[in-house]
């Protein structure tokens, strides 16, 4: 007798991989107000405004500065978006500027060359675009030196945004 080995391997493997993964793009997080601070509301020259609590690197800060004369010099890193004067016969002016937070100090000093009534407010926002100018559309009043009658009160221009997830911010 002679042993005989006849292995009979007939594996029947028919793997069937059909993964069903559905990934929906999620919307970016909504732009969110962080906090704000104000200063001034009195006569004086330079105006120092504290950094709003909770500001983190990458947040966008927007400042609205009001003055009744003189001219503002912005601190380093701040960029002016616009300025509007009530009329050609007055020095009542609102200026709007912005800055992306980056290793911020405790406050900002906005220099004013005259001792006049002035005030300012900074609002901070998170989840804004990560680089470049965060402004999508802008309007400050109806244009430089647009005269308004006291009886008319405040008039605002319209703003049409061009990208999704946009927040409108106004300084009055």
């Amino acid at each position: 007798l002679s042993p005989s080995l006849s292995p009979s391997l007939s594996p029947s493997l028919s793997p069937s991989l059909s993964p069903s993964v559905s990934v929906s793009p999620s919307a970016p997080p909504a732009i969110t107000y962080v906090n704000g601070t104000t200063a001034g509301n009195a006569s004086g020259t330079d105006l120092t405004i504290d950094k709003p609590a909770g500001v983190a690197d990458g947040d966008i800060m927007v400042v609205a500065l009001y003055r009744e004369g003189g001219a503002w010099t912005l601190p380093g890193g701040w960029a002016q978006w616009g300025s509007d004067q009530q009329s050609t016969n007055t020095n009542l002016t609102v200026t709007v500027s912005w800055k992306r937070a980056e290793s911020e100090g405790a406050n900002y000093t906005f220099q004013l060359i005259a001792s006049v009534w002035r005030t300012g407010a900074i609002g901070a926002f998170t989840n804004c675009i990560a680089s470049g100018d965060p402004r999508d559309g802008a309007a400050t009043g109806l244009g430089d030196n647009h005269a308004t009658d006291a009886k008319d009160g405040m008039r605002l221009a319209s703003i049409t945004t061009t990208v999704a997830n946009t927040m409108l911010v106004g300084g009055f």
Side-chain angles (χ1 to χ4, degrees):
L1 239 231
S2 90
S4 165
L5 296 173
S6 329
S8 170
L9 296 176
S10 52
S12 174
L13 298 177
S14 51
S16 173
L17 297 177
S18 36
S20 176
V21 178
S22 175
V23 178
S24 298
S26 60
I31 297 170
T32 305
Y33 174 73
V34 175
N35 214 332
T37 55
T38 62
N41 205 23
S43 289
T45 54
D46 296 353
L47 182 61
T48 299
I49 307 175
D50 290 339
K51 173 183 71 177
V55 170
D57 284 358
D59 289 350
I60 298 295
M61 293 178 286
V62 177
V63 64
L65 300 165
Y66 169 83
R67 62 182 166 81
E68 294 183 354
W72 293 111
T73 299
L74 302 175
W78 287 86
Q80 183 172 313
W81 272 338
S83 188
D84 202 21
Q85 187 173 344
Q86 179 191 15
S87 73
T88 55
N89 299 322
T90 67
N91 288 317
L92 309 178
T93 304
V94 174
T95 299
V96 178
S97 302
W98 75 280
K99 179 183 193 329
R100 187 178 312 281
E102 184 178 324
S103 302
E104 298 305 308
N107 55 47
Y108 309 94
T109 299
F110 299 86
Q111 296 176 342
L112 190 56
I113 61 171
S115 182
V116 296
W117 192 268
R118 80 281 187 272
T119 190
I122 297 175
F125 303 87
T126 193
N127 299 327
C128 301
I129 63 169
S131 64
D133 187 334
R135 175 181 47 186
D136 175 41
T140 51
L142 296 173
D144 288 338
N145 300 322
H146 181 86
T148 58
D149 297 330
K151 66 179 177 20
D152 289 343
M154 185 180 296
R155 290 185 270 167
L156 302 174
S158 65
I159 299 174
T160 302
T161 60
T162 60
V163 297
N165 302 314
T166 302
M167 175 183 277
L168 299 179
V169 178
F172 310 108

